[in-house]
Each structure stands twice: as C-alpha cells, then as structure tokens.
Amino acid sequence: MADSMENKAGHNYYLDVPPASEVFFLKGMDHVDWGMKNRLARMFNPKSGHTVMLAFDHGYIMGSTAGLERIDIVIPPLAGHVDVLMGTRGALRAAVPPTLDKAVALRCSAGSSVLDEDMSHEVIGVNIEDAIRMNASCMAIQTFIGAPGEKTSIQNLCNTIDAGNRYGIPTLGVIAVGKEMERTTKYFLLATRMVAEFGAQIIKTYYCDEFEKITSACPVPIVIAGGKKLPENEALTLCFRAIREGAAGVDMGRNIFQSENPRAMVKAVAKIVHENASDKEAYDFYLSIKK
Ligand code: R5P
C-alpha cells in the first residue's frame, strides 16, 4: 500500500497557500463546534446571514389553532419558501413529510394549556435522544423571566443547552410573554441577555421599541416572533424594522398561516429577510402574487 501511494506523480501540497480559515458568519458562534456550526448554517442562510423560520408549534399550548387545523395541508406547500420548520415532534412526525429536507427547530419544552392562569411552569418534553432521532437542527425551550416558573424554566433551558452541547445541537431560547408579563424594552433587554448568558445559541423574542439596543446587547443571533395576526402590510413592516435593527431573522407563525394568502406572505417575508427589500416593496410583491 505504502509503495502504491508513491506511484502517483505530481502531488501538489500548495506550499505557498495558507490553510483555509474563515470567520463564521453568525455572531457569537466562532467558538462552537463544527457540527453545531453546520446545523446553524442549515438554519441561517450563509449568504444573507438570515433565516425565515415558519412556526407552527402553537398546538402545544393552544390546541387546534386557527389556520393550523390541518398541518398536513397547510405547512408542506409553504416549506419550500422557508429555511426552518418549527414544530412539535408530534406534528412533524404525523403531518410533515421528512422528504421536505428542511432544517427543524424542534419545540422541546412542554407545559400547561392556555386555560391555565399561570403557564410558566414548563418541563423538558423531549429528551436529547429523540431530538437527535428527529434530526433537529435546534431545540426550542421557553423561558419565563420574571414569572412564577422562572427558575424551573431556566433549569429546563440550561439542561437542554448542556445536552445540546454534548451532541452539537444548538438551543433556541424562547422569551415568553405571559398575560401579566411586561413587553417593554427594559424587560426584553434583561430577558434576552440572561438567556444568551445561560448559553442559548439563538434567541427568539418579540419586537419592541429601541430594538437595536436589544440586538446590540445580545451576543448571539436574535429572531423575532410574529405574534398575533396583523394586517399583512403591518406584519411586513414589523419584519422590516426588526431586520433593519439587527435581527438575524423571523420565526413567524400566525402572520403567515392565518394570512389571506400564506404562500404570498411567506415569500414577501423572505424578500425582506434575504433580499433586503423594504416593507413597501415586500407588500407590493405580496399583492402581486395570486392566491
Ligand atoms: C411561541 O413560542 C409559539 O409557540 C410560536 O412559536 C411563536 O409565538 C411564533 O409564532 P407567532 O408568529 O404566531 O407568534
């Protein structure tokens, strides 16, 4: 064997070329492992540095949410226009074909329903083995900063981050807002920074005033949740502002699947997120696409 290796003439060791090296394109992620970077690069488009995540995990607290009565009919046609599908393992296994080959943000926290006055006491509902089995690109855990279940939710987050670090799977720390919880800049500054310092590799939060302060003070990428359904032009403006003010993407649900034209809406959102379109350009684009 050793002799046969030498039979090939013309080795080129590129002695004058320095070894390839690159700065990873997502902030705060230079020192994570190769496998984690690879998963992040599946979720965030390396060219734009941004992501469009389609959230349809609402059933885990809300049951059959308007627009998501039939996930198998609603979600697959939209998948081609997004970077990431965010769902529960139950919905993914039962209603989303694995052949879609999309990055998956797996909802891994579980808790009580919207009928509960205080929904802040969640548990880890999916263990690391099942997250690996689902080929999760990241695991999503809700944190309830300032709520009665704060400590438990932080424990859930930290345990998941530890498990994810063992196998190179990033954790998406979701900042929860409950009925009684604040939605102020001060609150989101506190909550996003805490969750990043606990070690979450991605943070999901809500858009708020002075959002650039939140993205600036948070050392890892932030994606925004869409929240309750808005008129399409307003949802696109929300998306535009968040990206302009430093968000690395959106994780949007109701403003897409409850839209009059979900396919047009998801494409318009992607125009802003990946192509730097303005909200007006994106809305004109939305209106130009037939149902
Ligand atoms: C919260 O974590 C929910 O489960 C959703 O993933 C999230 O709220 C995003 O969906 P929406 O854009 O409908 O708020």
Side-chain angles (χ1 to χ4, degrees):
M1 268 313 247
D3 279 352
S4 70
M5 277 174 68
E6 286 311 313
N7 283 341
K8 187 165 186 255
H11 288 294
N12 190 345
Y13 294 99
Y14 298 97
L15 298 180
D16 54 343
V17 182
S21 71
E22 67 171 34
V23 174
F24 194 63
F25 68 99
L26 284 176
K27 85 167 170 179
M29 293 298 117
D30 258 330
H31 304 295
V32 303
D33 187 66
W34 192 95
M36 191 172 285
K37 283 184 178 146
N38 183 257
R39 287 188 174 88
L40 289 164
R42 229 167 109 64
M43 298 176 64
F44 292 83
N45 181 321
K47 280 199 190 124
S48 65
H50 293 160
T51 185
V52 176
M53 300 172 64
L54 176 61
F56 54 95
D57 59 331
H58 306 62
Y60 99 103
I61 45 171
M62 297 163 86
S64 167
T65 313
L68 282 185
E69 295 84 356
R70 285 288 301 273
I71 287 176
D72 61 322
I73 293 175
V74 174
I75 296 302
L78 302 178
H81 307 294
V82 304
D83 302 286
V84 182
L85 298 174
M86 180 181 187
T88 60
R89 60 181 171 184
L92 284 160
R93 281 201 171 105
V96 179
T99 44
L100 289 177
D101 191 28
K102 282 286 155 186
V104 163
L106 187 63
R107 162 63 65 179
C108 289
S109 55
S112 44
S113 74
V114 280
L115 300 176
D116 191 348
E117 277 303 302
D118 171 24
M119 296 164 64
S120 69
H121 299 276
E122 290 204 326
V123 296
I124 297 175
V126 178
N127 65 27
I128 186 70
E129 286 77 17
D130 213 34
I132 294 168
R133 207 173 285 121
M134 294 294 296
N135 199 24
S137 290
C138 77
M139 299 178 286
I141 294 285
Q142 199 118 305
T143 49
F144 296 82
I145 307 300
E150 171 170 352
K151 248 189 187 166
T152 323
S153 72
I154 290 173
Q155 191 65 65
N156 296 339
L157 178 79
C158 292
N159 289 349
T160 303
I161 292 168
D162 284 338
N165 284 345
R166 282 202 293 280
Y167 298 100
I169 303 182
T171 297
L172 169 66
V174 180
I175 310 297
V177 286
K179 286 179 196 139
E180 304 301 326
M181 291 164 74
E182 290 186 61
R183 287 184 181 231
T184 60
T185 305
K186 190 175 160 201
Y187 172 73
F188 288 126
L189 259 175
L190 171 76
T192 54
R193 182 60 178 259
M194 283 178 70
V195 170
E197 299 231 7
F198 291 134
Q201 288 84 6
I202 315 159
I203 312 287
K204 170 170 158 174
T205 189
Y206 286 85
Y207 181 76
C208 61
D209 292 340
E210 302 180 282
F211 192 67
E212 65 277 11
K213 285 189 182 168
I214 315 278
T215 55
S216 172
C218 181
V220 299
I222 286 190
V223 295
I224 60 147
K228 286 184 187 153
K229 172 79 175 70
L230 299 166
E232 277 75 4
N233 59 336
E234 290 177 28
L236 291 169
T237 296
L238 172 82
C239 181
F240 171 68
R241 288 191 182 149
I243 296 294
R244 188 185 57 188
E245 292 164 32
V250 300
D251 186 8
M252 218 173 228
R254 287 163 287 182
N255 278 293
I256 292 174
F257 62 71
Q258 290 179 352
S259 167
E260 288 293 311
N261 187 347
R263 192 176 63 91
M265 189 60 183
V266 78
K267 288 177 83 165
V269 167
K271 275 245 171 242
I272 294 172
V273 171
H274 290 307
E275 296 176 31
N276 286 321
S278 69
D279 44 352
K280 179 166 183 334
E281 286 165 340
Y283 187 53
D284 289 345
F285 178 69
Y286 167 81
L287 293 174
S288 74
I289 301 173
K290 291 211 169 58
K291 228 173 158 181

